Amino acid sequence: MAVFEGINLVIQYVYLASAVLFIFGIKLLGSPATARRGNFLAALGMFIAIVATLVNEEVLNYEMIAIGIAIGAVIGAVLARTIKMTAMPQMVAIFNGVGGGASAVIAVSEFVRIWDGDISVEGHVKLTIMLGVLIGFVTLTGSLIAFAKLQDLMTTRPVTYPLQNIVSGLMFLAIVGMIVYLVGFEFNIYVFYALVALSLILGIQLVIPIGGADMPVVISLLNSYSGVAAAAAGFALGNLALIVSGALVGAAGLILTNIMTKAMNRSLANVVFGAFGAVTAGGPVAVETRTARSVGAEDAAVMLAYARSVIFVPGYGLAVAQAQHQVRELADLLEGKGVRVKYAIHPVAGRMPGHMNVLLAEANVPYDELYDLDEINDDFRNTDVAVVIGANDVTNPAARDQPDSPVYGMPILNVDQAQHVIVLKRSMSPGFAGIDNDLFFKDNTRMLFGDARRSVTSLVSEVKGL
């Protein structure tokens, strides 16, 4: 083929090498010990692919590309240096939205080029353009809603109205009809405008009924959408690197979404259409009559210092308080006294996949002290003290013991089976699921109220004095 001769053939080989680097990079990202190297390899692959694209003969305006790269690099560098750890989920949501929006804009520009020039193209090219528009714009507006929820710019609870799922279904059917018309019959600009508008609205429609507790799953799903949109844009442009990288992102996001839904013992359909955490109108409001026992830092420090084994259970509260360095210092003190220390990481702890792992890595917590749910759950019954720091729903025994609980069936960390439990929390307020945590009222549980960072700092001081 003529397109694969000369410089174009070289570019295809470079794209192939980039794809190999992407795959090795993803492989290395599977372990915290090799994640940094994996990230570097994947970035190197993308850099090589970009350079190869820039030598393409079809590139017409290098000045605009240079300006775009400079602006993007400055924004990226500023965000990377200034973003708070607790705001990482919001940033990932924005990145997903920008990626989807960029793919959609590429698809729109291809449509306009073909329509304006009355150019004849094959049906599969038309189809990929329409899919790029649909998935890209759904990802854009869906990610913006996810950002608004995570940033508390709107309620984190599901926003629902009667017949919502039916309305969404009808919108989707209308979009399918428009795509069939545009691909099979006529490139009509007005039908295309309607497709763009409905795709933007559908993204909002799909995310507003999803509550804050399901946001980690939604972020993974939107990440997958952004990859699929990029792959569709790659097909429309005939760009191998974009196809491969988009397919890898789409597949990785989908696999992660599957892992997350399994960790919550729920189906993807239940997450997307279940409106988990929605307020039920008209029902009686339950009044909590149980009493939780509190403990001071001095008594909690004694429990920790004279324990044989301690398991720290980090959650979003740890990220908010930025207490990871103090927790590491406390763990070092305890290990110096002969205490065996571990960290239990629930798959959906925090607000995005891997949130707690990254947070603890920032404090140089040894990788071999981090344990997933399946690896550590049996250890709690042989542990003297479990320290819960801001983790709420993932430690609620109701998920295991109460069939009528909204979280029943969700795998949890068996924190309540430890001999003693210390919960660091600002108040008795519920977590993202919006329900009380039965753990707080167990006989072996003591609540250490206050900001997690100040509470752990107090524990460090008390342990040093023992």
Side-chain angles (χ1 to χ4, degrees):
M1 296 174 63
V3 294
F4 285 167
E5 292 178 351
I7 187 66
N8 283 322
L9 182 60
V10 174
I11 290 174
Q12 299 307 318
Y13 279 123
V14 174
Y15 284 162
L16 189 59
S18 299
V20 172
L21 289 173
F22 293 155
I23 293 170
F24 274 108
I26 291 176
K27 171 67 177 173
L28 295 176
L29 285 172
S31 167
T34 58
R36 187 185 295 268
R37 190 149 39 98
N39 208 23
F40 172 77
L41 281 183
L44 178 63
M46 184 54 70
F47 176 75
I48 292 172
I50 291 172
V51 171
T53 302
L54 290 177
V55 301
N56 192 314
E57 297 171 348
E58 296 179 2
V59 175
L60 301 177
N61 193 324
Y62 286 100
E63 291 80 5
M64 292 299 293
I65 293 174
I67 292 172
I69 290 175
I71 294 174
V74 170
I75 294 174
V78 171
L79 286 176
R81 298 291 300 176
T82 59
I83 196 76
K84 292 181 179 178
M85 191 62 212
T86 50
M88 283 297 290
Q90 292 92 310
M91 192 169 81
V92 172
I94 283 293
F95 280 172
N96 289 340
V98 171
S103 300
V105 169
I106 291 173
V108 170
S109 67
E110 279 297 289
F111 176 88
V112 171
R113 185 180 68 83
I114 294 168
W115 179 78
D116 199 36
D118 196 19
I119 301 170
S120 177
V121 295
E122 296 180 6
H124 74 274
V125 176
K126 295 180 181 177
L127 180 60
T128 54
I129 290 174
M130 301 313 157
L131 291 178
V133 169
L134 167 61
I135 303 171
F137 281 131
V138 165
T139 305
L140 173 63
T141 52
S143 297
L144 290 177
I145 294 297
F147 172 82
K149 285 182 174 245
L150 291 168
Q151 193 67 21
D152 291 328
L153 298 177
M154 64 179 290
T155 177
T156 58
R157 288 189 174 279
V159 178
T160 60
Y161 58 84
L163 305 178
Q164 190 169 27
N165 289 339
I166 293 177
V167 171
S168 297
L170 291 175
M171 288 176 62
F172 182 73
L173 289 176
I175 288 173
V176 171
M178 291 176 188
I179 292 176
V180 170
Y181 180 80
L182 290 166
V183 173
F185 297 94
E186 182 187 359
F187 248 35
N188 185 295
I189 191 70
Y190 298 107
V191 176
F192 184 74
Y193 287 156
L195 172 65
V196 170
L198 270 186
S199 299
L200 289 167
I201 296 171
L202 184 62
I204 299 172
Q205 180 79 2
L206 289 177
V207 178
I208 57 171
I210 300 175
D214 289 329
M215 271 304 136
V217 181
V218 174
I219 290 176
S220 296
L221 187 60
L222 289 170
N223 180 248
S224 177
Y225 285 175
S226 70
V228 174
F235 276 110
L237 294 175
N239 186 295
L240 180 61
L242 203 52
I243 295 171
V244 172
S245 58
L248 287 173
V249 172
L254 199 57
I255 291 170
L256 189 56
T257 302
N258 184 46
I259 292 172
M260 301 287 284
T261 51
K262 280 186 176 178
M264 300 169 72
N265 194 32
R266 302 171 62 199
S267 67
L268 182 58
N270 182 258
V271 171
V272 175
F273 301 111
F276 180 75
V279 176
T280 303
V285 178
V287 177
E288 181 57 63
T289 57
R290 294 174 293 181
T291 303
R293 300 171 178 81
S294 62
V295 66
E298 183 177 355
D299 292 336
V302 170
M303 292 169 63
L304 291 170
Y306 293 100
R308 290 170 301 173
S309 57
V310 170
I311 297 179
F312 288 103
V313 182
Y316 184 65
L318 175 70
V320 172
Q322 285 289 287
Q324 63 271 25
H325 295 284
Q326 286 71 25
V327 171
R328 171 69 197 277
E329 184 180 2
L330 177 60
D332 288 344
L333 282 172
L334 296 177
E335 288 177 328
K337 291 179 176 293
V339 180
R340 182 163 50 88
V341 174
K342 295 181 179 179
Y343 298 81
I345 312 295
H346 193 281
V348 295
R351 282 188 166 185
M352 61 181 290
H355 197 176
M356 294 300 107
N357 301 70
V358 174
L359 196 73
L360 295 175
E362 192 177 271
N364 294 318
V365 173
Y367 299 132
D368 58 3
E369 292 183 4
L370 307 184
Y371 292 87
D372 293 332
L373 181 143
D374 292 336
E375 295 175 321
I376 203 167
N377 243 359
D378 291 338
D379 289 358
F380 280 107
R381 67 187 63 168
N382 300 316
T383 297
D384 292 333
V385 186
V387 184
V388 180
I389 311 173
N392 201 330
D393 300 323
V394 297
T395 62
N396 193 341
R400 189 188 57 227
D401 304 332
Q402 295 184 19
D404 59 341
S405 171
V407 295
Y408 181 71
M410 173 178 149
I412 59 165
L413 291 163
N414 294 328
V415 170
D416 58 313
Q417 295 178 357
Q419 189 172 349
H420 301 284
V421 181
I422 300 173
V423 178
L424 277 61
K425 206 170 184 311
R426 288 178 182 272
S427 67
M428 296 293 289
S429 60
F432 287 127
I435 59 175
D436 289 320
N437 189 342
D438 288 353
L439 174 69
F440 301 163
F441 307 99
K442 294 281 185 181
D443 292 338
N444 60 339
T445 299
R446 297 293 181 271
M447 306 294 296
L448 180 54
F449 290 110
D451 173 79
R453 187 169 180 171
R454 282 199 290 271
S455 294
V456 178
T457 301
S458 299
L459 289 173
V460 169
S461 299
E462 295 293 341
V463 170
K464 283 181 178 176
L466 293 174

